[in-house]
Amino acid sequence: MCGIIGCVGCGDQTLTTLVHGLSKLEYRGYDSAGVALVGDDGLQVVKKAGELDSLRGELDALEGVSGTLGVGHTRWSTHGPPTDENAHPHQDCTGDVGVVHNGIIENYQSLRDELESAGHTFESDTDTEVVPHLVEEGLEDGLDAEAAFREAVSRLDGAFALACVVAGSDAVLVARNDSPLVLGIDDGATYLASDVPAFREFTDRVVYLDDGEFARLDADGWRVSDVKGETIEKSVETVEWDAEDTGKSGYDHFMLKEIHEQPRALRQCLQGRVDELGGTVTLEELGDLEPDRIHLVAAGTSYHAAVYGSQLLQADGVPAQAFFAHEYASSPPPDTDALVVGVSQSGETADTLSATRTARRHGAETLALTNTVGSTMARECDHVCYIRSGPEIGVAATKTFAGQQTALNLLTQVATPGPSDRDVIEALRELPSDTQEILDESNAETVAEELLDSDAYFFIGRALNYPVALEGALKMKEITYKHAEGFAAGELKHGPLALVTGNTPVFATVVGDGELARKTIGNVKEVEARDAPVVAVTDGVSDVKRYADHVLEVPDTHPRTAAILANVQLQLVSYYTAAKLGRSIDKPRNLAKSVTVE
Ligand code: F6R
């Protein structure tokens, strides 16, 4: 979704800093970009539809765009198509006010009608443009820039992160409500952004803004205040990852890099939480929480992790259910004794936040299971468990899915009465090296090449491998744009089998040689009889290889971790299929990394 960057105190590096920040926000998904700078020549705004290179080209062509403070924006269209006019920053009638915005202003139409009746003219289709015109009104009434901005914000309903600059003012003005904003604090310079990677290269000290807070960034530093202008004391936190973590480190794509980071990410997730000698799991963050039942709420890939987690919990005797966050938000089940776990990489997904907020309103205790320190969900929920995967830049979630699965294994051990399961602990201990083994030896690239011309890709699995099938298909469709579906293997002959042909490969995950494996092999035979190429993702314990055209091996381990490992093979197949098709792997069309609108 949209990204915001701003800076004060960067001197003649202001424009460079803004454009660099925008490049670091590209991963969030966008279709236009722009900057606004304030300097001796007043306010200069440059914005272009398309990739950041179009903006760079325009800045080069214009020459001399400069300033000593400014804001920048990457826009992911909601109100109006991706045109130069709809790109941010937006300005008022005088051209002295520049505003960038993430989120949605719900009452923009009535405000626009009112402003138009008062003589304001609008240049764009966006909801955002009402804000600079409202600020203009305040300035005309004699307010200073900060007071005019506050007054404007007080008129808005909806979700927003806003940053405003005004010609002649020495400050960047900021407001947050339901959309993430973080300040970066350096000696002599202050930054603001929707996400830390935008300024991580310059500082690791951050201040997370909360809903209803305003901030003023100027040459003297920064000040956070409430709606009445009263100063709010904020703590400065330190980010625990490096700027290099947001680079590609020699990989062609962030997605491939992040797939390869999984052994480290999983090690970090487990570190200090599993006592191998004592055979115990501790999640200090949860205190002595002993939930009677658990509801997991999530969207997309995180929902697949939630389905996986609910199965683990149920298997160990804790009543648990996974819900699509958007459904939970609008019609929550009545049991308020459930611990409601928001599973979200970003901790900013609007649907999932809405679900955890609904749960809180209904009196339930909430837990954020997230990757993003300081995210809205982490701050709002009663408890937080970080998955510690490190920054994930590729739009398609990879290492964070494995991190969520791993953390849900830990949560299951903690939530289940009685001692931890030593077999699970042993398998978790080996998980990082098992993952490395797959990355070192996978033949996924060959499989991708041989199946490249397929009409569609199907994924099947039972029990813990059902969410793996769903996730395998989601990854394939989002980065290759090919038709892909995940099915519960047992459902195949109840309908989906009609889709199976000689040009629709079926990826079947088969682990062990128990009843589930035998039944899935039965499904494999059914698709084989319809000439479908079969790809077995297997530990080789059963005889599924006999029926498979291709095999993707996973180490022989506990079924709970096998489901994490099988997914790594499927991630690689999707990645190489997309790479061979020349797709925009890290920024698939129409998608955004963090979906902050419902
Ligand atoms: C798919 C993907 C999305 C997200 C979903 C939820 O690769 O990344 O489906 O999983 O938008 O996002 P988070 O986990 O940030 O709540």
Side-chain angles (χ1 to χ4, degrees):
M1 301 248 108
C2 306
I4 288 178
I5 172 76
C7 65
V8 178
C10 299
D12 59 6
Q13 291 302 302
T14 301
L15 178 60
T16 314
T17 305
L18 294 176
V19 175
H20 170 82
L22 293 179
S23 73
K24 290 290 181 181
L25 292 169
E26 281 188 286
Y27 77 95
R28 295 166 67 91
Y30 73 107
D31 41 40
S32 60
V35 289
L37 289 98
V38 173
D40 293 341
D41 299 333
L43 178 72
Q44 287 173 290
V45 171
V46 184
K47 52 191 194 169
K48 285 300 277 180
E51 300 260 310
L52 201 49
D53 275 345
S54 309
L55 177 68
R56 287 196 185 98
E58 183 73 4
L59 288 166
D60 288 347
L62 288 170
E63 291 176 1
V65 177
S66 66
T68 50
L69 59 91
V71 293
H73 190 266
T74 48
R75 172 176 187 254
W76 190 82
S77 311
T78 53
H79 292 77
T83 58
D84 290 354
E85 292 73 26
N86 287 335
H88 297 213
H90 289 286
Q91 289 173 274
D92 65 326
C93 300
T94 66
D96 283 343
V97 182
V99 170
V100 293
H101 164 224
N102 289 356
I104 288 183
I105 295 167
E106 277 156 19
N107 59 337
Y108 85 99
Q109 192 58 58
S110 60
L111 290 170
R112 183 169 175 149
D113 293 346
E114 174 190 318
L115 288 159
E116 280 179 335
S117 314
H120 291 261
T121 49
F122 282 70
E123 307 286 339
S124 77
D125 310 314
T126 66
D127 52 342
T128 307
E129 201 185 339
V130 296
V131 184
H133 290 281
L134 286 171
V135 175
E136 179 189 357
E137 292 264 298
L139 293 172
E140 276 173 9
D141 289 345
L143 300 177
D144 65 21
E146 189 172 343
F149 178 65
R150 276 178 191 285
E151 181 68 22
V153 172
S154 73
R155 303 285 316 277
L156 309 177
D157 292 335
F160 47 80
L162 285 164
C164 173
V165 287
V166 178
S169 158
D170 65 349
V172 174
L173 304 164
V174 179
R176 175 202 153 123
N177 189 44
D178 265 1
S179 223
L181 264 186
V182 55
L183 308 185
I185 315 299
D186 200 3
D187 299 332
T190 312
Y191 309 87
L192 76 116
S194 336
D195 206 354
V196 179
F199 56 68
R200 176 64 189 86
E201 210 159 301
F202 312 117
T203 184
D204 63 354
R205 287 180 294 143
V206 298
V207 173
Y208 295 102
L209 295 186
D210 286 305
D211 283 347
E213 290 182 345
F214 290 78
R216 177 189 171 95
L217 283 53
D218 59 26
D220 295 330
W222 55 279
R223 185 175 88 93
V224 176
S225 56
D226 65 13
V227 67
K228 294 189 198 123
E230 303 287 336
T231 298
I232 298 175
E233 297 302 332
K234 301 286 290 184
S235 56
V236 179
E237 297 174 37
T238 304
V239 175
E240 284 177 4
W241 44 269
D242 298 328
E244 299 84 68
D245 289 341
T246 64
K248 283 195 204 149
S249 309
Y251 287 94
D252 287 344
H253 297 95
F254 283 110
M255 181 179 175
L256 189 60
K257 175 188 170 227
E258 286 155 7
I259 289 173
H260 280 267
E261 280 174 346
Q262 288 178 117
R264 178 166 64 129
L266 299 181
R267 219 167 269 126
Q268 285 168 181
C269 181
L270 295 167
Q271 205 164 28
R273 291 166 162 177
V274 178
D275 172 7
E276 288 155 30
L277 285 179
T280 52
V281 173
T282 322
L283 287 175
E284 274 174 10
E285 305 90 325
L286 303 192
D288 49 9
L289 202 63
E290 280 182 11
D292 292 332
R293 66 185 62 243
I294 295 186
H295 291 167
L296 300 124
V297 295
T301 290
S302 295
Y303 173 75
H304 301 153
V307 173
Y308 168 85
S310 68
Q311 292 184 1
L312 298 179
L313 287 157
Q314 280 164 17
D316 284 2
V318 180
Q321 209 179 333
F323 296 84
F324 286 121
H326 63 96
E327 285 181 359
Y328 199 92
S330 52
S331 41
D335 31 347
T336 53
D337 59 336
L339 171 71
V340 177
V341 182
V343 183
S344 172
Q345 182 283 126
S346 62
E348 301 292 351
T349 299
D351 290 345
T352 315
L353 278 173
S354 182
T356 50
R357 285 172 184 162
T358 301
R360 280 170 70 82
R361 263 200 315 280
H362 288 242
E365 207 163 1
T366 52
L367 162 69
L369 192 108
T370 182
N371 192 36
T372 311
V373 177
S375 58
T376 305
M377 192 177 298
R379 282 173 298 124
E380 286 186 2
C381 286
D382 302 303
H383 310 272
V384 57
C385 172
Y386 289 115
I387 63 170
R388 304 177 182 164
S389 300
E392 186 176 71
I393 306 295
V395 163
T398 51
K399 63 175 177 173
T400 56
F401 179 64
Q404 289 167 340
Q405 288 177 299
T406 304
L408 285 163
N409 268 290
L410 299 178
L411 177 66
T412 302
Q413 294 303 316
V414 169
T416 310
S420 300
D421 183 329
R422 282 195 174 260
D423 291 344
V424 174
I425 291 188
E426 179 60 17
L428 287 171
R429 193 180 66 78
E430 287 175 3
L431 182 59
S433 56
D434 284 348
T435 309
Q436 190 62 55
E437 189 180 320
I438 291 179
L439 295 171
D440 292 342
E441 295 174 13
S442 177
N443 54 330
E445 184 169 4
T446 312
V447 173
E449 177 72 47
E450 291 184 16
L451 300 175
L452 200 58
D453 293 328
S454 304
D455 294 336
Y457 298 83
F458 299 134
F459 297 78
I460 60 170
R462 284 170 188 259
L464 290 172
N465 292 312
Y466 168 54
V468 172
L470 296 179
E471 177 59 11
L474 180 64
K475 220 77 316 173
M476 183 65 93
K477 69 181 82 163
E478 66 184 334
I479 61 166
T480 70
Y481 315 151
K482 290 273 212 165
H483 180 211
E485 295 299 336
F487 303 116
E491 282 293 298
L492 203 61
K493 55 174 143 334
H494 298 291
L497 201 54
L499 295 170
V500 170
T501 70
N503 206 24
T504 60
V506 177
F507 291 75
T509 301
V510 179
V511 171
D513 64 353
E515 195 188 344
L516 289 176
R518 281 197 298 281
K519 286 187 169 168
T520 311
I521 292 171
N523 302 121
V524 164
K525 290 180 189 164
E526 286 158 14
V527 299
E528 195 200 18
R530 273 100 189 153
D531 297 329
V534 172
V535 185
V537 188
T538 184
D539 52 13
V541 177
S542 70
D543 65 350
V544 68
K545 289 182 185 176
R546 282 178 48 193
Y547 311 102
D549 301 281
H550 306 277
V551 175
L552 295 165
E553 307 261 7
V554 297
D556 178 10
T557 175
H558 197 285
R560 294 187 178 196
T561 46
I564 303 175
L565 297 166
N567 182 63
V568 175
Q569 287 283 24
L570 298 181
Q571 291 169 348
L572 288 167
V573 177
S574 291
Y575 171 80
Y576 285 114
T577 305
K580 287 170 198 303
L581 291 168
R583 302 297 193 231
S584 167
I585 293 180
D586 287 330
K587 288 176 274 169
R589 70 183 178 204
N590 306 336
L591 299 183
K593 181 69 181 160
S594 173
V595 184
T596 50
V597 290
E598 281 186 75

